[in-house]
Amino acid sequence: MPTSVKMTRRDLVRAAGAAALAIGAPAIIRPALAADALKIGVLVADSGPAALFGPAQRAAAELGAATINAKGGILGRQVEIVFADAGAPPAEVAKSAVKLMLSDKVEMIFGSHDSAVRQGVENVVKGKIPYVYTPVFEGDDCSSNVYFLGEVPEQELQKTLPKMVELAKGKTFYLVGNDYVWARTTNDKAKKYIADLGGTVVAEDYYPLGAPNKFENTVAKIKSAKPAIVLQTLVGGDNVNFNRTFADFNLSDDIVRLSCLLEENTLIGIGKDASKNLYSSLGYFADLDLPENKAFIGELTKKYGDKAPQQCTISKGLF
């Protein structure tokens, strides 16, 4: 399991709030009295291929704000969340980010969405306010006033790939991912780790996010190539469709699969019958046996009852 920086979202929000008061807010932000609400924009996947994460993202963010406010807020200010949809194309989400800053007057933005959207948001925020990106991402981004909480390929793959080789008893890999920066950069790094193991990449395929595709063509090629391991960098509904088709081709007994973004909601979509020999490498799972996680899940259950959305690594960063 990857190690992570021991900073919670609340720590980061408090630190950012204190820094804003200490150095003065950027000109884009209106002056705020201590009694004013601290508005935070939160970009979540309400639509698109990652929409299955949306309810969990909203629930985690709402609980996080409620927890902070119950303890007196941040520097005497109550937190107010302003949600916006991050499931649209990057240019559209960038417009939403501008609206959050100029119309809604948010003083921070949290984003839980794909990296293509992140790049669009970075281009319009331009470091004027803190932008916290919470999910798994590809690394190699040092943009001003942008903070990253999620797993990177080095954490997900360097120690995991040798274990997959051991399980599969083979070193041939087939790579399949969505056609954008996270998948391509992650696979570029994976190819270096595979080479270090003496392994071979037999082929790689990329698909647009959310296209109406069942991946039959790639799965047929995998059946012919007979790799030992399939490495997946697919998101949400695409991950579900690929693995269901993979199982329909009866390949699960002979080929091991590793997904770089297989969390609980995606696994539910894939289903038990299609998940044999399917592995995940992430820094958080909702059944993690730690007191802090048990408290988190317990508070969600208390707030939402039996309607509490399934938490996962994509949503917990918003708490």
Side-chain angles (χ1 to χ4, degrees):
M1 181 172 295
T3 56
S4 60
V5 177
K6 293 185 179 298
M7 175 178 281
T8 67
R9 188 191 78 144
R10 291 186 295 282
D11 293 333
L12 186 58
V13 171
R14 290 192 183 98
L21 290 183
I23 65 176
I28 196 171
I29 305 173
R30 65 179 175 85
L33 299 174
D36 290 344
L38 174 60
K39 288 188 175 182
I40 298 177
V42 180
L43 296 167
V44 297
D46 288 330
S47 62
L52 74 171
F53 308 135
Q57 293 170 330
R58 283 177 169 267
E62 289 168 351
L63 179 62
T67 302
I68 291 171
N69 290 339
K71 295 180 179 180
I74 297 171
L75 301 177
R77 302 172 68 188
Q78 293 285 285
V79 172
E80 179 183 333
I81 293 178
V82 183
F83 285 109
D85 181 21
E92 293 301 313
V93 183
K95 291 178 183 177
S96 296
V98 172
K99 179 181 179 297
L100 287 172
M101 291 192 295
L102 297 182
S103 299
D104 297 302
K105 309 297 185 184
V106 303
E107 298 177 50
M108 298 180 69
I109 292 177
F110 278 75
S112 185
H113 44 70
D114 67 60
S115 286
V117 166
R118 187 195 78 244
Q119 291 177 327
V121 173
E122 287 178 351
N123 287 337
V124 296
V125 172
K126 297 183 183 298
K128 294 181 177 70
I129 61 174
Y131 173 33
V132 185
Y133 186 69
T134 65
V136 173
F137 90 114
E138 68 279 359
D140 301 336
D141 188 329
C142 297
S143 300
S144 175
N145 218 10
V146 181
Y147 305 88
F148 301 92
L149 305 185
E151 305 92 317
V152 294
E154 290 83 353
Q155 294 171 309
E156 287 195 88
L157 296 175
Q158 276 188 313
K159 293 185 178 180
T160 306
L161 290 179
K163 183 63 177 179
M164 298 307 299
V165 166
E166 180 184 328
L167 289 169
K169 297 181 174 58
K171 297 182 179 180
T172 52
F173 289 76
Y174 198 113
L175 313 185
V176 56
N178 285 121
D179 192 9
Y180 75 110
V181 60
W182 171 70
R184 286 190 173 274
T185 303
T186 297
N187 283 342
D188 284 344
K189 294 180 178 182
K191 284 184 278 190
K192 296 177 183 178
Y193 306 144
I194 291 167
D196 290 341
L197 292 169
T200 303
V201 175
V202 299
E204 54 187 308
D205 290 335
Y206 295 94
Y207 291 84
L209 278 161
N213 199 310
K214 299 288 187 183
F215 300 92
E216 291 96 337
N217 183 49
T218 286
V219 174
K221 290 194 290 184
I222 290 171
K223 185 173 183 178
S224 177
K226 298 179 181 178
I229 302 162
V230 173
L231 178 62
Q232 304 168 30
T233 44
L234 295 164
V235 177
D238 291 337
N239 202 348
V240 170
N241 288 340
F242 172 82
N243 284 292
R244 285 180 173 176
T245 300
F246 189 93
D248 287 343
F249 274 63
N250 297 315
L251 300 179
S252 302
D253 288 338
D254 301 318
I255 300 175
V256 171
R257 288 163 287 163
L258 173 65
S259 173
C260 292
L261 191 51
L262 174 60
E263 45 64 62
E264 289 85 347
N265 293 285
T266 303
L267 185 60
I268 290 170
I270 292 170
K272 179 180 178 181
D273 293 340
S275 57
K276 184 178 181 181
N277 282 325
L278 174 60
Y279 293 85
S280 177
S281 176
L282 294 170
Y284 172 84
F285 294 98
D287 62 353
L288 195 62
D289 189 16
L290 290 174
E292 297 87 349
N293 185 55
K294 290 181 177 179
F296 168 51
I297 299 300
E299 288 300 315
L300 278 166
T301 303
K302 185 187 301 184
K303 182 175 176 64
Y304 296 100
D306 58 5
K307 295 183 179 179
Q310 174 64 57
Q311 288 300 308
C312 63
T313 195
I314 301 299
S315 57
K316 57 85 180 172
L318 294 174
F319 172 63

